[in-house]
Amino acid sequence: MTIYIFSQSLGYISSNSDYKQACIEQILRASFCSNKYICTRMIGQKEINNYKRVGIGAEQLVGIPQYFTDNQSLESSVKAEEKLEELKNILQCTEVSYRDSEIWLIKDGYVIASILLDETDKNYLWAVCYYSCAKLLRMEVYTDGISYMNSYITATSEQGLYAKITKRTFYNKDGSVAYDQIFEGEKEWFLFPDGRLCTKSQMMEEFIRTLNLSEDDVILLDESVPNELLRAVFMFGKVARLVALVRVNNGSADGGENEMVFSRGSYYDWFPYMEMLDTIVVSTEEQKKDLLEELETYHYNIPIIKVAPIEGEFVSAGVVKSPDGNLVLSWEFKGKPDGILIYNELGTWIGETRNVEQSCFLLKGYEKKDGFILKAYIDTARGKTTIAESERF
């Protein structure tokens, strides 16, 4: 059994991706199986590092463009100094300049090539750019060898001259061409060495077919999935269990102006696919009720509707003075946090309890007038993620 996460934004640090990642992590914690994160675009070094920071290893990432080669490596292993010596002989440069994140090869006063260094280990490179009279001609991107190469022409826009990509060539492990991605205006297509041409939609369909999905597999979707891939999933991936994660904006769950709300039409975007969805995940019981009413009104098929396990709220919170003159904070929380953080009204951390059965906390050296705020959190790969916050009390 494998869970395929088709979200396109999990590697980025933002309040919404914190929430989304927390949802997915709690879903995955309940299942003891492997999981793969599917990306429709090329996975760059910075994005790989972002994924690593939230506990997602490179071996869990699948970039669809690279999938159609026999080189699945995402780790840099080409040494910068070795590539520098190779290029010095080929390009006959007259000067080498070491910069913070790159190495310039210079000839006749122009940078003719730039070796871009791995940000986590600068002994290795991740790309080489080639120039002619300060104009970018091509960029080679490396993992354990050349992975792909972008070819550019100089084009004109309202902002001036820029390097416009015209072709991206993907390589196999032995350096042979796997296929070319051709760009022309807003259109793109894929050309294979045997002469076969594919559109982007056809590539997405082929990818889903080659996953060889079974009824034990799960595909987790959200609104960030491109239409071409979404159509392919519902056309060729129906044998797997399909789960839609409805994105919400972060906020409090107290029903006020910061209440969690649906974004971009929310579950309405999923109505055309309701007949094929096995499960849809929302953030609160109120949203579940709202969705059920809409589905019943329009006579849609009703899938399993689950409330994300990270929902919760402080039902009450207060402070009293103990007989010895210290303060006791008490609260009632509805939900399943991993712990409670205590702050003063200025946002300064005071204490923490990981005993979720505990509903009080003894403070020394504080007065009622200081004001306090409680935050419930869950543990995620990127640390503690706040799921609810009390009013000041």
Side-chain angles (χ1 to χ4, degrees):
M1 175 182 176
T2 302
I3 297 180
Y4 296 93
I5 300 107
F6 280 65
S7 173
Q8 300 299 292
S9 55
L10 288 175
Y12 298 100
I13 306 301
S14 69
S15 60
N16 183 69
S17 66
D18 282 343
Y19 177 88
K20 185 187 297 182
Q21 182 63 17
C23 277
I24 291 176
E25 284 187 14
Q26 289 201 339
I27 291 171
L28 296 180
R29 273 193 289 190
S31 62
F32 300 94
C33 58
S34 62
N35 52 84
K36 296 288 186 181
Y37 291 80
I38 310 301
C39 303
T40 58
R41 58 188 178 277
M42 291 305 305
I43 308 174
Q45 187 203 39
K46 289 184 178 180
E47 189 170 4
I48 293 169
N49 291 335
N50 280 338
Y51 276 100
K52 287 181 178 179
R53 290 189 192 104
V54 298
I56 301 170
E59 73 282 355
Q60 295 175 265
L61 305 178
V62 179
I64 294 179
Q66 195 174 8
Y67 183 83
F68 290 96
T69 75
D70 65 7
N71 181 9
Q72 304 301 307
S73 173
L74 291 174
E75 302 287 356
S76 301
S77 64
V78 178
K79 292 188 175 180
E81 287 296 328
E82 291 180 0
K83 191 65 179 180
L84 175 60
E85 291 303 314
E86 176 188 331
L87 293 178
K88 283 164 65 176
N89 293 329
I90 295 173
L91 301 177
Q92 299 180 340
C93 67
T94 56
E95 183 183 349
V96 174
S97 177
Y98 288 82
R99 323 295 288 189
D100 181 52
S101 60
E102 55 187 310
I103 303 172
W104 290 353
L105 289 84
I106 302 170
K107 185 175 182 179
D108 299 330
Y110 286 99
V111 175
I112 57 174
S114 175
I115 299 173
L116 307 183
L117 304 178
D118 188 312
E119 66 175 24
T120 58
D121 187 344
K122 294 183 179 179
N123 290 313
Y124 297 92
L125 64 88
W126 70 272
V128 179
C129 295
Y130 298 88
Y131 302 89
S132 176
C133 299
K135 296 177 181 179
L136 180 62
L137 298 179
R138 69 180 189 274
M139 180 173 73
E140 298 170 347
V141 177
Y142 290 81
T143 53
D144 57 355
I146 185 169
S147 177
Y148 65 92
M149 180 182 71
N150 292 340
S151 299
Y152 301 91
I153 61 171
T154 300
T156 304
S157 70
E158 293 180 356
Q159 288 73 40
L161 299 178
Y162 72 101
K164 179 181 180 180
I165 187 171
T166 58
K167 184 173 71 171
R168 179 174 289 144
T169 301
F170 294 88
Y171 295 91
N172 293 312
K173 287 181 180 179
D174 62 3
S176 62
V177 173
Y179 67 95
D180 290 318
Q181 184 177 9
I182 311 297
F183 301 90
E184 186 174 313
E186 298 298 318
K187 298 180 180 179
E188 60 183 270
W189 62 89
F190 304 86
L191 175 63
F192 289 82
D194 60 5
R196 181 166 50 102
L197 275 173
C198 290
T199 64
K200 190 173 182 179
S201 294
Q202 290 170 332
M203 288 286 278
M204 298 298 105
E205 293 169 5
E206 182 65 17
F207 171 73
I208 298 299
R209 280 197 293 261
T210 56
L211 288 180
N212 295 318
L213 297 166
S214 75
E215 60 186 12
D216 293 325
D217 296 320
V218 176
I219 292 180
L220 190 59
L221 304 159
D222 65 18
E223 85 294 335
S224 71
V225 180
N227 287 333
E228 297 95 342
L229 182 55
L230 203 60
R231 286 193 294 268
V233 167
F234 285 109
M235 186 175 296
F236 300 102
K238 290 182 290 185
V239 65
R241 286 176 285 166
L242 305 180
V243 179
L245 175 63
V246 176
R247 187 174 74 170
V248 296
N249 296 322
N250 264 350
S252 68
D254 60 6
E257 63 180 8
N258 294 321
E259 182 181 7
M260 289 183 179
V261 294
F262 288 116
S263 65
R264 253 193 55 198
S266 110
Y267 50 71
Y268 292 106
D269 296 335
W270 296 101
F271 274 18
Y273 308 108
M274 283 295 175
E275 297 291 331
M276 291 174 279
L277 286 174
D278 293 87
T279 307
I280 187 164
V281 180
V282 297
S283 64
T284 67
E285 290 290 346
E286 185 64 28
Q287 291 171 345
K288 178 179 179 178
K289 178 183 176 182
D290 185 29
L291 175 56
L292 279 170
E293 289 177 354
E294 291 294 323
L295 291 175
E296 290 170 353
T297 298
Y298 296 102
H299 306 290
Y300 275 97
N301 177 59
I302 300 178
I304 297 170
I305 303 174
K306 291 186 177 181
V307 177
I310 70 169
E311 73 158 300
E313 63 178 324
F314 286 94
V315 178
S316 64
V319 57
V320 296
K321 214 164 211 181
S322 65
D324 59 5
N326 291 311
L327 296 183
V328 178
L329 307 186
S330 63
W331 61 85
E332 180 183 353
F333 185 79
K334 180 183 177 183
K336 296 180 179 180
D338 290 320
I340 304 292
L341 298 168
I342 298 98
Y343 295 84
N344 67 17
E345 63 181 344
L346 299 178
T348 302
W349 180 86
I350 295 176
E352 171 185 358
T353 175
R354 295 188 68 88
N355 181 0
V356 295
E357 301 300 324
Q358 178 181 335
S359 58
C360 61
F361 192 88
L362 178 64
L363 288 181
K364 295 182 179 180
Y366 289 89
E367 299 293 335
K368 280 187 177 182
K369 64 181 181 180
D370 292 329
F372 305 97
I373 295 172
L374 302 174
K375 294 184 180 182
Y377 69 84
I378 60 169
D379 294 315
T380 71
R382 66 180 66 180
K384 296 179 176 71
T385 296
T386 300
I387 59 173
E389 182 175 323
S390 72
E391 295 289 341
R392 176 195 177 279
F393 61 93

